[in-house]
Amino acid sequence: MGMLNEARRTATDGIARHPSFAGGLVIYGKILRDLQEFEKAIGTLKKAISIAPENILAHQIMAEIYLTL
């Protein structure tokens, strides 16, 4: 819907409360990707993968970012 700044605020609030929730980190990484903040997105996704290495979506989004770069 194009509400990326609102999504970013919501995601950062959630991550502040639950920093070890891999799903929240993945969504935040996706938001950062959509905002074209690729380096920050990669760092966030690496953290999500370290928490939940089986999270296929995190790997997929990171691969898309690397292909873009």
Side-chain angles (χ1 to χ4, degrees):
M1 295 174 64
M3 299 174 65
L4 293 174
N5 290 322
E6 292 83 355
R8 172 189 252 172
R9 280 192 294 274
T10 302
T12 54
D13 288 347
I15 290 169
R17 290 188 187 123
H18 305 285
S20 297
F21 179 53
L25 291 166
V26 172
I27 294 302
Y28 185 49
K30 187 174 182 179
I31 293 165
L32 291 170
R33 180 206 58 194
D34 292 346
L35 289 168
Q36 297 185 354
E37 295 183 25
F38 300 122
E39 296 303 321
K40 207 171 188 181
I42 288 171
T44 301
L45 292 165
K46 283 182 178 180
K47 184 174 179 182
I49 290 168
S50 72
I51 295 168
E54 74 283 355
N55 191 310
I56 294 171
L57 183 58
H59 290 281
Q60 180 182 1
I61 295 168
M62 191 157 32
E64 290 171 3
I65 292 170
Y66 282 128
L67 285 172
T68 300
L69 294 175

